[in-house]
Amino acid sequence: MTAKQTIEAGKAILGIEFGSTRIKAVLIDQDNKPIAQGSHEWENQLVDGLWTYSTEAIWYGLQDCYAELRKDVLKQYDCEIEALAAIGFSAMMHGYMAFNKDEQILVPFRTWRNTNTGKAAAKLSELFNYNIPLRWSISHLYEAILDNEEHVSDIKYLTTLAGYVHWQVTGQFVLGVGDASGMIPVDPATKTYDAEMVRKFDELIAPKGFSWKLLDILPKSLNAGENAGFLTPEGAKKLDVSGHLKAGIPVCPPEGDAGTGMVATNAVKQRTGNVSAGTSSFSMIVLEKPLSKPYEKIDMVTTPDGSLVAMVHCNNCTSDINAWVGLFKEYQQLLGIKVDMNELYGKLFNKALEGDTDCGGLMAYNYVSGEPVTGLAEGRPLFVRSAGDKFNLANFMRAHLYGAIGVLKIGNDILFKEEKINVDRITGHGGYFKTPGVGQRMLAAALNSPISVMETAGEGGAWGIALLAGYVVNNPNKLSLADYLEEVVFAGNTGTSIAPTAEDVEGFNRYIETYKRGLAIEQAAVENK
């Protein structure tokens, strides 16, 4: 079938992912190739000291994103989307969305970016003997309990952003196991919430006398490929305000952006890994066995089919780079030069390759928000240099590209140097890798490992969740998810690989040692502004 025939026959598959700064929709054909897309730009808001997106922004963003997809289809193929083979929804992971019995949100959505849950995360990590990150839903819930927030007694439903959207358009209160594993840890053997941790939490909060227990308010955990419901008539209207889209479309289990990143990079098999680098960054290494002990810097989650994953999650990545590129854009406009942002990014990123391997002593901290891995409760973006450092454009850009993945390196050094984890392949995707060969080379130096990037790297999580939707309806041979991706979707394609050079590795190591010493500057900035 042509793309037009695929759409008109209702055989296309839709993936939608809510990222931190953009909601993206990707329509794929029966060969899993993108054939249309739409997007909507949005930004989180700081309200009463907490990062949030309003429910109005969520639904307007979803509808605008879908409307842009419709426009793209009309422009390219001169047809309407009336039916689809399957749909999937994904979103930035975790945070806190609590609802009452009437499905009304009790407090504004608390996103992954918030770092106000320190007391709760520390207590739960000790109780479970398991690292519980600040952003996980259970940390937010227990922090609200510790802070005696009145709304807690009224909770009927607790979910993530992906789970919320899926629930409202299908009526099914479920989560994919990968997203579920960041609400409270999942047992890889049962692929559902860890029973012992659930019991300990219920015992911990029993004196409060709430009418609910934890499993009463959590979504059901589903494995990739399982039936997660169908688009309802109300859900179809919520998605497509034009009224063309019909109800009854299968919807796959909703997943977090970490899970869709693994799928989009064919990294769900053990001994594979991926790095997603955009507004935030995270690495996912699929383990052959559990780590020897809990680490505060390492989060344990699962693949969308339930395998154990060591995750290093960094709150910040490219936002500070984007801000500096915006400054260069202003300068060009001041000179009356027409600005092509793709060209500007490409030239600046490539200029970084000319810099010294240790950035000439220049140092960049990209902390727009707090960074739990390095113990910073708040963010202060900083560029630091000594008078004798080699201050030029190449080193400036290289320092910011290094700084964007500095925290990622600190976390992964634990896995590769202390735990001696072995990986066969690490694949990168996200905006950091958009300029060919540049971010890839920087990450190879940081992790001292070959890094692969595929042509589909820019498609990201929206494509990943579309593949998971396809896995529900286009897998007649009942292949495992890893085999489905390997044999059907990627068919042996492992992308283009760049190996680290000894000089780059040595230079990055010098940079990161200075970076660690300079964290005191960042801390002082947080404390004094």
Side-chain angles (χ1 to χ4, degrees), residues 20-154:
S20 302
T21 58
R22 186 170 66 147
I23 304 169
K24 184 175 180 182
V26 170
L27 199 66
I28 64 173
D29 63 15
Q30 290 167 293
D31 294 322
N32 302 299
K33 292 182 174 58
I35 52 175
Q37 64 178 20
S39 66
H40 169 83
E41 305 292 324
W42 70 339
E43 278 292 344
N44 52 194
Q45 306 296 317
L46 191 62
V47 178
D48 296 327
L50 293 171
W51 293 104
T52 187
Y53 301 85
S54 68
T55 52
E56 293 79 11
I58 292 167
W59 292 110
Y60 175 75
L62 176 65
Q63 290 160 2
D64 186 55
C65 177
Y66 186 83
E68 290 298 309
L69 174 74
R70 274 189 63 235
K71 282 184 195 173
D72 191 36
V73 168
L74 279 167
K75 182 180 177 182
Q76 286 196 74
Y77 310 112
D78 192 29
C79 63
E80 276 287 355
I81 307 171
E82 302 281 351
L84 293 163
I87 303 175
F89 296 100
S90 173
M92 56 192 119
M93 288 175 72
H94 316 139
Y96 184 76
M97 297 193 82
F99 299 84
N100 64 15
K101 59 182 175 55
D102 299 318
E103 299 184 11
Q104 296 171 324
I105 197 161
L106 292 166
V107 290
F109 169 33
R110 295 172 182 175
T111 77
W112 58 271
R113 200 168 205 167
N114 292 295
T115 54
N116 64 308
T117 56
K119 287 183 301 194
K123 172 70 176 173
L124 294 174
S125 296
E126 181 184 3
L127 180 70
F128 298 156
N129 191 30
Y130 202 97
N131 179 42
I132 304 297
L134 301 180
R135 70 187 182 283
W136 280 14
S137 304
I138 196 72
S139 295
H140 282 278
L141 174 61
Y142 189 48
E143 190 66 39
I145 292 170
L146 289 177
D147 295 342
N148 295 309
E149 294 192 41
E150 291 183 6
H151 78 271
V152 176
S153 59
D154 296 326

Side-chain angles (χ1 to χ4, degrees), residues 348-412:
L348 288 170
F349 271 48
N350 277 300
K351 187 68 178 175
L353 296 178
E354 300 173 19
D356 295 299
T357 58
D358 64 355
C359 308
L362 309 186
M363 192 58 50
Y365 294 93
N366 63 336
Y367 296 7
V368 173
S369 64
E371 194 56 81
V373 172
T374 46
L376 274 297
E378 295 179 39
R380 300 286 186 272
L382 291 177
F383 171 65
V384 183
R385 67 187 178 99
S386 299
D389 290 338
K390 298 177 185 175
F391 184 40
N392 56 43
L393 182 59
N395 281 336
F396 178 85
M397 286 307 301
R398 193 170 185 124
H400 279 87
L401 285 166
Y402 275 17
I405 55 173
V407 180
L408 200 66
K409 174 176 174 56
I410 290 169
N412 276 280

Side-chain angles (χ1 to χ4, degrees), residues 20 60 150 215 235 295 309 327 473 489 512:
S20 302
Y60 175 75
E150 291 183 6
L215 290 185
Y295 291 92
V309 176
L327 199 68
V473 295
V489 176
I512 207 68

Side-chain angles (χ1 to χ4, degrees), residues 6 9 44 78-79 107 141 160 165 183 243 328 333 417 495 517:
T6 299
N44 52 194
D78 192 29
C79 63
V107 290
L141 174 61
T160 66
V165 173
M183 297 200 78
F328 290 122
Q333 290 172 328
K417 292 181 179 179
R517 292 194 299 273

Side-chain angles (χ1 to χ4, degrees), residues 166-471:
H166 181 98
W167 172 37
Q168 294 300 300
V169 301
T170 65
Q172 299 299 308
F173 192 60
V174 298
L175 266 189
V177 63
D179 208 6
S181 69
M183 297 200 78
I184 186 170
V186 158
D187 181 344
T190 63
K191 302 190 191 305
T192 190
Y193 306 108
D194 187 287
E196 182 62 13
M197 294 186 200
V198 168
R199 183 190 66 76
K200 286 181 176 179
F201 185 81
D202 283 337
E203 281 185 3
L204 179 66
I205 66 167
K208 295 286 185 179
F210 298 128
S211 61
W212 51 264
K213 289 193 172 182
L214 188 57
L215 290 185
D216 298 335
I217 63 174
L218 293 184
K220 182 182 179 185
S221 172
L222 295 178
N223 216 13
E226 287 195 77
N227 175 19
F230 300 87
L231 190 68
T232 63
E234 299 77 19
K237 289 174 191 169
K238 277 180 177 283
L239 181 56
D240 179 13
V241 294
S242 75
H244 284 92
L245 190 64
K246 305 285 193 298
I249 300 165
V251 187
C252 74
E255 265 299 347
D257 51 2
T260 58
M262 286 187 278
V263 171
T265 53
N266 190 18
V268 300
K269 191 172 283 187
Q270 291 178 0
R271 291 175 65 98
T272 65
N274 83 297
V275 170
S276 173
T279 305
S280 62
S281 71
F282 48 82
S283 62
M284 314 286 289
I285 306 297
V286 189
L287 302 178
E288 297 176 277
K289 61 181 181 180
L291 299 181
S292 64
K293 63 180 181 180
Y295 291 92
E296 190 177 349
K297 294 178 173 64
I298 310 292
D299 307 344
M300 303 305 297
V301 291
T302 76
T303 62
D305 60 348
S307 290
L308 199 60
V309 176
M311 178 184 195
V312 177
H313 182 279
C314 312
N315 278 5
N316 303 281
C317 187
T318 57
S319 294
D320 196 37
I321 294 175
N322 295 341
W324 281 105
V325 174
L327 199 68
F328 290 122
K329 172 190 172 185
E330 280 191 55
Y331 174 68
Q332 279 192 247
Q333 290 172 328
L334 190 65
L335 296 180
I337 301 169
K338 187 177 179 183
V339 179
D340 178 324
M341 291 305 289
N342 286 330
E343 181 185 20
L344 183 57
Y345 271 101
K347 286 192 170 179
L348 288 170
F349 271 48
N350 277 300
K351 187 68 178 175
L353 296 178
E354 300 173 19
D356 295 299
T357 58
D358 64 355
C359 308
L362 309 186
M363 192 58 50
Y365 294 93
N366 63 336
Y367 296 7
V368 173
S369 64
E371 194 56 81
V373 172
T374 46
L376 274 297
E378 295 179 39
R380 300 286 186 272
L382 291 177
F383 171 65
V384 183
R385 67 187 178 99
S386 299
D389 290 338
K390 298 177 185 175
F391 184 40
N392 56 43
L393 182 59
N395 281 336
F396 178 85
M397 286 307 301
R398 193 170 185 124
H400 279 87
L401 285 166
Y402 275 17
I405 55 173
V407 180
L408 200 66
K409 174 176 174 56
I410 290 169
N412 276 280
D413 278 352
I414 295 171
L415 296 176
F416 298 130
K417 292 181 179 179
E418 296 183 34
E419 288 285 333
K420 310 296 184 190
I421 298 298
N422 293 310
V423 289
D424 298 325
R425 183 180 73 242
I426 297 177
T427 308
H429 75 121
Y432 185 81
F433 304 102
K434 192 169 183 182
T435 302
V438 181
Q440 199 175 350
R441 179 171 159 185
M442 304 298 168
L443 186 64
L447 301 187
N448 193 16
S449 172
I451 304 296
S452 297
V453 171
M454 300 184 188
E455 288 180 14
T456 49
E459 302 298 343
W463 184 57
I465 191 66
L467 297 180
L468 284 172
Y471 181 60

